[in-house]
Amino acid sequence: MSSIESVMNETRVFEPAESFKAQANVKGMDGYRALCEQAEKDYEGFWAGLARELLVWKKPFTKVLDESNAPFYKWFDDGEMNVSYNCLDKHLATQPNKIAIIFEADDGKVTKITYKDLYHRVCTFANGLKALGAKKGDRVIIYLPMSIEAVVAMQACARIGAIHSVVFGGFSAKSLHERITDASASLIITADGQFRGGKAMQLKPAVDDALAMGGCECVKKVVVYQRTAGETAWDAQRDVWWHDAVQGQADTCEPEWVNAEHPLFVLYTSGSTGKPKGVQHSSAGFLLHAINTMRWTFDYKDSDIFWCTADVGWITGHTYVTYGPLGIGATQLMFEGVPTYPDAGRFWKMIQDHKITTFYTAPTAIRSLIKLGADLPKQYDLSSLRLLGTVGEPINPEAWMWYYNTVGQTRCPVVDTWWQTETGGHMITPLPGVHGLKPGSCTMALPGIMAAIVDEAGHDVEKGKGGFLVIKRPWPSMIRTIYGDPERYKKNYFPEDLGGKYYLAGDGANCDLDGYFWIMGRIDDVLNVSGHRLGTMEIESALVANPLVAEAAVVGKPHDIKGEAVVAYVVLKGARPEGEDAKKIVADLRNWVAKEIGPIAKPDEIRFGDNLPKTRSGKIMRRLLRALAKGEEITQDVSTLENPAILEQLKEVVK
Ligand code: 6R9
């Protein structure tokens, strides 16, 4: 709490330059207020107007918002459209030869693909998928590295009405298995491997392992894109090379016209229980917000070259790589590799070489790049940049200032965009030609997004007082349900305590006297490690699944680069280990978690105790564990502890 207070004492305000404002898609506070008023006066009319302007409909909608089965809202429900048509076919008449994707491989090789070529690639692959039996409504797991093929695969699913579920390539076979079975997927699209930092890494073995875990009878085919061309284990009945799947297929494919509410994708994210939630999104509402935020937040112009560094395995990659940029007809850069290879200047060199105008990345990347060379950007020509953005976690004012001064050379507004997997697109963010920027604040809600801060009973809190961040009205790109678990959707996001009608974001926030929002972080048991959401329960379940472990508790602790680090308190079934023994078990447990969930979830620290501190009712005292992790003085009442000596044990970090 103290850090947020100091952040909120930030008094610097950076106003947009007149020249930026003059050319902006939303001009000045007047322009912003006019849109907000329009939304307040006629909420449905406001969104309907945007949906007519920005989407192409096969059958126009006549209904806008259906609240009859709240909180299962429906938008534009009697309309018909196709997302892939809106991202590809729509542009064929006006800009067939515009570059859609510039792909830079790990080794620096550049491939460019026009809208027309991408359209044909998507159609051909869509026909290939159909030939393999995929059809409307089927769930398709995509486990691919950053590649043009990843976008082709997602767009091809959208084209035939199949529901994709992309699994980040850094997730383990176990995590993959969990998602395959939860979604009952009939098809998996993967690659033999991927290149990162000059090394070839295998990907398909994780799919093979996942399918060998059982319960995957639903999966009929595995399509494999050949990227690294190494040795690949093969099941001739089940596996098909991508290049064979498209062989002889026609390069046009009539899109499957779907209802506006037809699910476009399910994306798994961490919540406060051990089991990840399948966040389900719609077709029309999702795409509408993706396109409109390209226009408003990123001030999109035809001449822009857009670069969002997120992997397509995360929501940011869905909305601002696969759908938003293509929906609006942009040229964008996609990058296969890592920011540190061949050296820490890679990002800056890419901005220079490709003349990037709009650069969107995560605070954790910014912090690590500062550490690797705060002056490095000065060695490159970054004059093409006109707008910068951040996403994924709160940005500390120091990192913000560096980004603004050193990367943007004080010329580029920084849009600090607050949103979530569940919201589909930006929610609270500066508009670059509108808001004066305060480092560390995501400023104000977009027009039509009714964000507010409330107390436990759902009442608005006064400005300057913290509370729960909620969205008071449904919006088009919101989550529709948790796949296969509508009850959990209702309970989690529309709790009765708040009257059951506000969307509860799960973040604590503050609104200052100027009406600027400041995000304080999660209020549930969700950690934000390098901008990735991880449930503490998920990591705990992984740890206790290890035969050596009796009990485990996981908390976060502030970390300079990652934002938060994972600290695990572990009680073994045997005696508390010491010395070399302890070191070996720590290494084993970290690898174990990497296997169970993925390397991103590896605990940074493991501490062993004879027991965990618990209340009389047996609840783990997490606040105490958080204080211990931070190395703070213990001021809490610990009189209920059976064995106070364990506090000393739990202070000890095994290095
Ligand atoms: C898009 C994305 C969502 C959680 C969210 C919040 C944190 C995201 C932020 C931010 C402060 C920002 N978060 N953007 N916190 N300022 N600009 O990251 O989705 O992976 O679902 O994470 O990330 O805590 O609740 P997701």
Side-chain angles (χ1 to χ4, degrees):
M1 203 60 105
S2 59
S3 66
I4 185 70
E5 274 154 19
S6 69
V7 165
M8 283 188 64
N9 289 332
E10 178 64 63
T11 51
R12 290 171 289 196
V13 182
F14 299 86
E15 294 293 342
E18 282 308 319
S19 54
F20 194 100
K21 210 158 138 182
Q23 62 79 61
N25 294 341
V26 182
K27 287 187 192 25
M29 254 313 159
D30 292 348
Y32 171 74
R33 292 239 162 84
L35 288 166
C36 292
E37 269 163 36
Q38 223 181 310
E40 263 147 42
K41 267 201 209 118
D42 177 11
Y43 193 67
E44 292 190 21
F46 170 82
W47 286 114
L50 291 171
R52 289 190 185 106
E53 180 190 354
L54 296 173
L55 298 178
V56 180
W57 295 88
K58 178 71 173 174
K59 177 172 165 251
F61 58 90
T62 61
K63 286 187 283 186
V64 183
L65 170 61
D66 178 355
E67 300 186 82
S68 59
N69 187 26
F72 300 93
Y73 300 102
K74 290 179 178 172
W75 283 91
F76 320 118
D77 188 33
D78 62 346
E80 279 175 18
M81 49 86 73
N82 176 282
V83 166
S84 146
Y85 182 92
N86 272 272
C87 292
L88 300 166
D89 313 43
K90 188 174 83 182
H91 306 302
L92 291 185
T94 51
Q95 49 170 47
N97 299 320
K98 182 171 178 174
I99 301 293
I101 301 175
I102 305 167
F103 176 72
E104 185 166 316
D106 188 56
D107 65 4
K109 183 166 177 274
V110 174
T111 312
K112 296 182 182 179
I113 181 166
T114 64
Y115 270 90
K116 187 160 166 263
D117 290 344
L118 185 62
Y119 159 80
H120 287 305
R121 289 272 289 277
V122 169
C123 285
T124 311
F125 191 61
N127 287 327
L129 290 179
K130 285 206 278 194
L132 291 173
K135 54 182 193 312
K136 181 180 171 188
D138 285 358
R139 275 80 55 216
V140 174
I141 295 276
I142 298 178
Y143 188 63
L144 282 171
M146 282 299 274
S147 51
I148 293 176
E149 283 68 21
V151 172
V152 170
M154 293 164 82
Q155 288 282 349
C157 286
R159 194 157 192 96
I160 66 171
I163 303 164
H164 62 67
S165 187
V166 184
V167 179
F168 174 57
F171 278 120
S172 67
K174 184 84 187 298
S175 293
L176 191 54
H177 176 260
E178 197 166 30
R179 286 153 175 79
I180 295 167
T181 50
D182 190 81
S184 316
S186 58
L187 201 114
I188 299 177
I189 305 170
T190 188
D192 55 351
Q194 60 179 324
F195 290 106
R196 281 172 80 79
K199 286 193 246 25
M201 275 141 41
Q202 289 194 306
L203 211 52
K204 183 166 179 284
V207 175
D208 294 334
D209 291 351
L211 293 178
M213 285 173 193
C216 297
E217 296 71 27
C218 48
V219 177
K220 302 291 178 254
K221 292 283 171 196
V222 176
V223 181
V224 188
Y225 159 60
Q226 192 170 40
R227 175 67 187 121
T228 50
E231 281 282 302
T232 304
W234 205 254
D235 175 338
Q237 295 296 308
R238 187 196 71 190
D239 301 343
V240 188
W241 286 111
W242 178 300
H243 49 259
D244 290 334
V246 296
Q247 189 64 42
Q249 294 297 340
D251 67 358
T252 57
C253 170
E254 174 71 7
E256 181 80 35
W257 302 107
V258 297
N259 181 275
E261 279 295 320
H262 182 68
L264 177 63
F265 64 86
V266 171
L267 181 60
Y268 286 83
T269 188
S270 295
S272 41
T273 72
K275 194 173 173 270
K277 313 180 266 202
V279 172
Q280 182 179 315
H281 277 286
S282 72
S283 293
F286 171 81
L287 186 66
L288 169 63
H289 204 60
I291 296 177
N292 194 40
T293 48
M294 286 298 296
R295 173 168 76 153
W296 283 357
T297 315
F298 293 129
D299 193 49
Y300 173 73
K301 300 285 163 6
D302 273 341
S303 51
D304 278 337
I305 301 180
F306 181 80
W307 185 18
C308 164
T309 66
D311 191 284
V312 290
W314 308 108
I315 190 68
T316 306
H318 280 59
T319 313
Y320 299 107
V321 176
T322 304
Y323 293 111
L326 296 180
I328 205 160
T331 295
Q332 70 172 321
L333 177 67
M334 269 182 97
F335 176 43
E336 178 180 39
V338 297
T340 47
Y341 178 82
D343 57 56
R346 183 73 184 261
F347 271 16
W348 318 127
K349 183 168 188 312
M350 288 174 69
I351 291 173
Q352 167 184 282
D353 291 354
H354 301 294
K355 302 198 165 45
I356 301 299
T357 60
T358 314
F359 180 62
Y360 190 39
T361 197
T364 184
I366 297 170
R367 288 191 297 264
S368 63
L369 288 166
I370 294 174
K371 197 163 173 201
L372 290 166
D375 286 329
L376 267 182
K378 294 185 181 143
Q379 296 175 20
Y380 298 86
D381 176 6
L382 305 183
S383 60
S384 57
L385 287 172
R386 65 179 200 93
L387 180 57
L388 300 173
T390 68
V391 58
E393 49 180 320
I395 181 161
N396 47 310
E398 302 72 39
W400 194 100
M401 287 307 305
W402 179 84
Y403 198 36
Y404 182 76
N405 286 328
T406 308
V407 181
Q409 295 152 351
T410 71
R411 181 183 69 241
C412 308
V414 175
V415 290
D416 174 353
T417 60
W418 177 86
W419 59 294
Q420 309 175 294
T421 304
E422 294 87 341
T423 70
H426 303 154
M427 300 295 277
I428 308 180
T429 174
L431 296 185
V434 173
H435 295 97
L437 306 169
K438 299 187 190 184
S441 166
C442 52
T443 75
M444 295 186 187
L446 285 172
I449 299 300
M450 306 306 183
I453 298 173
V454 300
D455 63 19
E456 281 95 350
H459 302 304
D460 286 349
V461 301
E462 279 168 50
K463 279 198 176 136
K465 289 226 171 88
F468 303 125
L469 180 56
V470 297
I471 312 296
K472 290 188 164 179
R473 300 224 51 192
W475 65 101
S477 67
M478 70 190 291
I479 173 176
R480 292 305 194 265
T481 188
I482 291 177
Y483 188 79
D485 201 349
E487 268 314 301
R488 189 173 172 198
Y489 163 77
K490 228 167 134 168
K491 265 211 208 108
N492 210 292
Y493 300 110
F494 297 89
E496 281 307 322
D497 307 355
L498 303 183
K501 54 187 201 299
Y502 293 166
Y503 168 82
L504 178 69
D507 278 326
N510 220 309
C511 187
D512 70 16
L513 298 176
D514 297 331
Y516 277 48
F517 283 89
W518 299 81
I519 306 298
M520 302 200 273
R522 303 288 308 189
I523 50 171
D524 49 14
D525 295 319
V526 172
L527 304 182
N528 192 326
V529 179
S530 300
H532 303 319
R533 269 166 75 167
L534 292 171
T536 51
M537 286 273 287
E538 239 177 299
I539 307 175
E540 287 164 10
S541 323
L543 284 167
V544 296
N546 184 289
L548 294 178
V549 176
E551 225 183 343
V554 168
V555 300
K557 108 176 197 187
H559 185 278
D560 280 353
I561 293 190
K562 302 206 263 187
E564 254 182 316
V566 178
V567 179
Y569 296 91
V570 172
V571 181
L572 295 185
K573 286 178 185 155
R576 179 171 175 262
E578 285 178 66
E580 288 305 310
D581 239 16
K583 276 191 199 164
K584 176 163 186 312
I585 297 175
V586 163
D588 289 350
L589 290 180
R590 295 186 73 229
N591 289 335
W592 174 269
V593 172
K595 265 209 165 141
E596 287 283 299
I597 303 175
I600 50 171
K602 272 190 191 178
D604 294 86
E605 270 180 25
I606 295 185
R607 305 178 182 200
F608 295 106
D610 291 330
N611 214 330
L612 293 176
K614 291 190 185 148
T615 61
R616 258 184 237 275
S617 61
K619 283 213 174 70
I620 296 172
M621 299 169 81
R622 286 177 185 278
R623 252 186 341 129
L624 179 74
L625 292 178
R626 276 193 282 265
L628 279 173
K630 284 193 226 163
E632 287 174 357
E633 273 307 307
I634 303 302
T635 51
Q636 298 159 56
D637 178 12
V638 290
S639 57
T640 55
L641 280 184
E642 276 168 49
N643 176 9
I646 61 168
L647 288 186
E648 285 310 310
Q649 296 177 352
L650 295 177
K651 283 183 187 164
E652 197 182 309
V653 186
V654 182
K655 286 258 160 66

